[in-house]
Amino acid sequence: MGARPLLNRRLAGMGTTIFAEMSALATATGSINLGQGFPDTDGPEEVREAAVRALREGRGNQYPPGPGIPELRAAIAEHQQRFYGLTYDPDTEVLVTAGATEAIAASLLALLEPGDEVIAFEPFYDSYAACIAMAGATRVPLTLRQPEFRPDLDELRSLITPRTRLLLINTPHNPTGLVLNDDELAAIAQLAIEHDLLVITDEVYEHLVFTGTHHPLAALPGMRERTVSISSAGKTFSFTGWKVGWVTATPELVATVRTAKQYLTYVSAGPFQYAVADALRLPDDYFADFRADLLRKRDLLADGLSAAGFGVHQPEGTYFITTDITPLGEKDGIEFCRTLPERCGVVAIPNVVFYDNTEVGRSLVRFTFCKKDEVLQEAVSRLQRLGA
Ligand code: PMP
Ligand code: GLN
């Protein structure tokens, strides 16, 4: 095979994702998995039944239409109207993807040229770095710093160069739980317009906002025409395994993203699309109860982690809590997470893997709270034995 590395150099060093690595560690050690963000309880029974029905009735068992089934595209457009007052044409302005992951990949691959720069909040969700690299572009971090993890908007301005092609914004933000406020959204929009930048917004945690409200950037004046909005059914309906995501944007942007999507998965799994169409039309109570339930779990885990001696950063959104392990006398999140299963039977994620700037993220560790109360309680009592 010669001396040439097998792996494309753009993916060098990207190995196994931290989520897969840590979930495997949890399984191997029988630990409580507060690492990878997936719920331990499935979403609404009627939504699960809708998938079974579609499958039995032979709806979606053969290749569904490339842009997604019309029922789901209509439901996505209705959802954007109902929650944000945003009007999208289901035929030309909505694209169904294999999870938000594919929407991110297709958008970046379709919109970027080699040499382009992409500004994104650091810590980055892991697939951003990989997809920017696969597109031959360069990531430019806007580091969110402790204690508040809010973006420095002057710094954002200073990072923009003639090569900047797009801003990749994630709000609510994984892993810090930051939710951009109105001033921050307005400042980002102003910079995007002033410098004629495209914007991709990853809003998969749109229904998990505990402080303030989620406002899509696309709803700000001058933003609809330059914004690719991305979301997914995985988080909102607790079916992360179904991998149904979507893009809403102008016809030109959707057609551009679709061009790449066609050659990634061609289409996404059919029967689940019918079920997600039903899920998006659930009454407001569903969304309110889901949020209230997760808020309670957030407080349960945050209190427990504080009592165990962690430095706790209270998230405004998502189902993750970022902690600092320095108060426990620890420095290195990777070392801490690798040994946590043997020390107390819990798995977490070292945030440093989401940083280029590794010194900034070294002592930060993320825990998820999308688990049953008794699981969170047991995890907390195990973690409280750490310092003993
Ligand atoms: N973006 C963020 C910020 C995420 O946390 C996740 C995790 N699931 C995704 C995208 C991917 O979503 P999906 O599972 O729908 O591909
Ligand atoms: N989004 C989830 C997390 O951040 C996991 C998704 C994945 O495994 N790629 O934990």
Side-chain angles (χ1 to χ4, degrees):
M1 304 278 260
R4 186 176 145 183
L6 283 177
L7 184 67
N8 182 295
R9 79 171 78 98
R10 288 175 176 172
L11 285 170
M14 297 211 174
T16 307
T17 79
I18 192 70
F19 305 117
E21 184 187 335
M22 288 298 159
S23 283
L25 184 62
T27 308
T29 58
S31 297
I32 297 178
N33 188 358
L34 302 188
Q36 190 176 24
F38 63 90
D40 58 2
T41 307
D42 285 350
E45 188 52 33
E46 67 260 44
V47 174
R48 198 156 54 164
E49 276 307 310
V52 171
R53 226 172 27 249
L55 205 109
R56 287 226 171 89
E57 290 170 4
R59 288 180 291 130
N61 290 336
Q62 308 304 330
Y63 293 130
I69 61 162
E71 292 85 342
L72 177 54
R73 281 184 279 119
I76 292 165
E78 279 168 35
H79 171 277
Q80 296 306 91
Q81 185 76 55
R82 168 177 161 200
F83 288 98
Y84 311 121
L86 280 164
T87 307
Y88 285 102
D89 177 347
D91 291 330
T92 58
E93 298 189 313
V94 178
L95 174 67
V96 176
T97 56
T101 306
E102 192 200 27
I104 294 161
S107 303
L108 292 169
L109 290 169
L111 294 168
L112 292 173
E113 292 288 349
D116 284 346
E117 292 176 358
V118 177
I119 302 177
F121 297 148
E122 178 187 63
F124 310 98
Y125 179 62
D126 68 342
S127 82
Y128 301 172
C131 292
I132 294 168
M134 284 194 273
T138 305
R139 60 182 183 268
V140 176
L142 175 63
T143 308
L144 304 175
R145 290 173 196 278
Q146 292 206 72
E148 294 302 325
F149 294 109
R150 303 217 77 87
D152 178 336
L153 298 162
D154 293 326
E155 190 181 343
L156 173 57
R157 177 180 289 278
S158 75
L159 294 176
I160 297 172
T161 75
R163 285 189 301 279
T164 309
R165 174 65 164 159
L166 63 83
L167 306 179
L168 174 48
I169 304 292
N170 173 214
T171 180
H173 180 257
N174 177 7
T176 66
L178 165 82
V179 175
L180 291 177
N181 63 34
D182 287 347
D183 291 344
E184 289 159 346
L185 290 168
I188 291 169
Q190 195 197 331
L191 285 174
I193 293 165
E194 195 179 308
H195 295 274
D196 196 21
L197 304 176
L198 294 167
V199 179
I200 298 177
T201 60
D202 176 345
E203 307 179 26
V204 298
Y205 299 100
E206 62 187 316
H207 289 290
L208 282 177
V209 174
F210 312 118
T211 311
T213 337
H214 176 69
H215 292 299
L217 260 175
L220 273 73
M223 290 305 286
R224 191 186 186 287
E225 55 266 40
R226 64 181 68 250
T227 304
V228 174
S229 303
I230 292 173
S231 195
S232 146
K235 313 295 163 180
T236 301
F237 302 111
S238 299
F239 288 114
T240 58
W242 288 8
K243 300 299 295 186
V244 176
W246 51 85
V247 164
T248 49
T250 61
E252 294 71 24
L253 284 168
V254 161
T256 304
V257 176
R258 195 177 60 226
T259 305
K261 186 245 144 62
Q262 290 177 118
Y263 300 108
L264 292 174
T265 54
Y266 179 51
V267 289
S268 314
F272 296 131
Q273 295 190 39
Y274 290 92
V276 172
D278 286 5
L280 284 164
R281 294 181 171 127
L282 286 168
D284 290 352
D285 280 359
Y286 168 76
F287 297 88
D289 293 350
F290 174 63
R291 180 184 156 281
D293 192 37
L294 270 296
L295 175 57
R296 206 177 35 72
K297 290 178 188 293
R298 178 195 75 170
D299 292 342
L300 196 167
L301 184 61
D303 292 349
L305 289 168
S306 293
F310 289 81
V312 172
H313 172 71
Q314 189 76 295
E316 297 171 312
T318 76
Y319 44 48
F320 304 110
I321 295 181
T322 284
T323 63
D324 194 326
I325 55 174
T326 320
L328 294 169
E330 307 271 351
K331 288 194 193 71
D332 188 302
I334 292 189
E335 175 65 16
F336 181 79
C337 290
R338 291 230 162 96
T339 55
L340 202 55
E342 75 207 39
R343 288 171 72 191
C344 72
V346 175
V347 160
I349 299 283
N351 290 29
V352 70
V353 299
F354 307 130
Y355 285 81
D356 288 335
N357 224 322
T358 49
E359 268 321 297
V360 181
R362 201 158 156 240
S363 64
L364 302 176
V365 169
R366 188 194 85 175
F367 293 85
T368 185
F369 52 87
C370 57
K371 305 292 174 184
K372 293 189 182 84
D373 288 7
E374 58 270 29
V375 172
L376 294 174
Q377 270 146 3
E378 174 60 24
V380 158
S381 72
R382 291 184 187 189
L383 288 163
Q384 285 174 358
R385 289 200 295 266
L386 255 189

